[in-house]
Amino acid sequence: MSTATDSDMAPTANPLSHERRGAVVLDRISKRYGDQLAVDDLSLTIEPGEFISLLGPSGCGKTTTLRMIAGFEEPDAGDILVSGQSVLGTPPYRRDVNTVFQAYALFPHMSVAENVAYGLQQRRTPKAEIRERVSTALDMVQMRRFADRKPTQLSGGQQQRVALSRALVNRPAVLLLDEPLGALDRQLREEMQLELKLIQARLGITFVFVTHDQGEALSMSDRIAVMRDGRIEQLADSDTIYGAPISAYVAAFVGQQNFFDGRVTPDADAVDTPRALVRPAQPVTSVAAGAAARAAIRPEFIELSATRPDGDANLAEGRIIGVSHLGETMQFLVQLGPDHSVIARRPTPDAPRLAVGDAAWCSWRAESVQVFAADAAAAAAGFVEPPTAEAVPPV
């Protein structure tokens, strides 16, 4: 048997190629604050030029993970590599990363151009190069015509663009974004989501985006890391995270779900619940027969009708206790029993003409059913059970 020598175990001395600039590797990192374990033995590899989101509720460890990449926190264990080099012990200003925060932290006494140029001036970049790079960075975010204004003369969305420009002007290998859109109103936030994705695609810079907003993560990310208790519960692209969650926790946090709690039938063909016998397309293999389980159906997969549908589809009878017009869709709240309601969403042109108080049949295809092990994680993920009739104000 051969024995590894010190030279065999030493890291390779060859420098990384330019194509690997922007790669981030988190190698079993952990971070503890007193008795609280904020990040627990987490490993993640981020490819150069990837847009990845760390998604999860407050306290899941996503912001602590970002701060460790940035250098504002040091892990208690593990290693962090940026562009192939360990950055442990390297201060934030010496790492090839920049961070954009929810609080933009612009200097109020400086103009927009001076704010963007500040980092370059600290690095003693030549003045001619500063002017060129500031103009280019402001053009990226369509803010050059505001170059002479002070931050107080800008809207929230314009200040966000300046903060982004200030981060990009340094041409970092990795851009870290910590809930940067949280202070914006809904319309402006959606506009900035599109702009961020376009800028990232154009520049090819690695983006690591922290958010608790599932819509932001789904619309912008190449991959999403759904976090729970300092670990990654699921890492996948948006389609997989939304359409094939691996646990009730992920299913509850990403998108909206209707959960039916019960037990797997002896033949493993269904989940027997107080309000419906919920049958998936295939026998249940993720939960043992007779064990507690959660069946999940998304609101857009639930059909509604005033009469019992023909065929052997999954069925549940109830009555309408709420109707909401959401523009392109109509949302119906259907009470199936004293303590159980479901949400159904139908495209507005095809939505049934049902009103509050009407009897209604809910049906859904077996292919739309997902079954998970029983888990209190839905509540931990912020899932709110649809209200029952007693909680709905009278019309």
Side-chain angles (χ1 to χ4, degrees), residues 302-305 309 314-318 334 336 342 344 360-364:
I302 292 186
E303 302 275 357
L304 287 177
S305 60
N314 285 285
L315 293 173
E317 185 179 10
V334 187
L336 304 183
V342 297
W361 284 89
C362 301
S363 62
W364 55 90

Side-chain angles (χ1 to χ4, degrees), residues 16-36:
L16 289 175
S17 67
H18 176 74
E19 286 75 20
R20 297 303 298 171
R21 183 173 185 257
V24 179
V25 177
L26 309 181
D27 183 14
R28 303 192 66 177
I29 61 171
S30 295
K31 182 66 179 179
R32 184 181 294 275
Y33 298 102
D35 294 335
Q36 181 183 0

Side-chain angles (χ1 to χ4, degrees), residues 258-260 302 332-336 340-344 362 386-387:
N258 293 299
F259 285 113
F260 290 80
I302 292 186
F332 299 86
L333 184 61
V334 187
Q335 177 145 17
L336 304 183
H340 193 182
S341 300
V342 297
I343 294 172
C362 301

Side-chain angles (χ1 to χ4, degrees), residues 154-178:
L154 303 177
S155 68
Q158 290 168 337
Q159 291 182 45
Q160 166 60 256
R161 289 183 175 93
V162 176
L164 181 61
S165 179
R166 183 177 59 183
L168 292 172
V169 76
N170 292 315
R171 300 172 183 171
V174 182
L175 187 64
L176 309 174
L177 302 106
D178 187 8

Side-chain angles (χ1 to χ4, degrees), residues 375-391:
D375 188 355
F383 173 74
V384 177
E385 190 75 29
T388 58
E390 288 73 15

Side-chain angles (χ1 to χ4, degrees), residues 48 120 225 301 329 337 357 364 366:
L120 297 176
F301 295 140
T329 60
W364 55 90

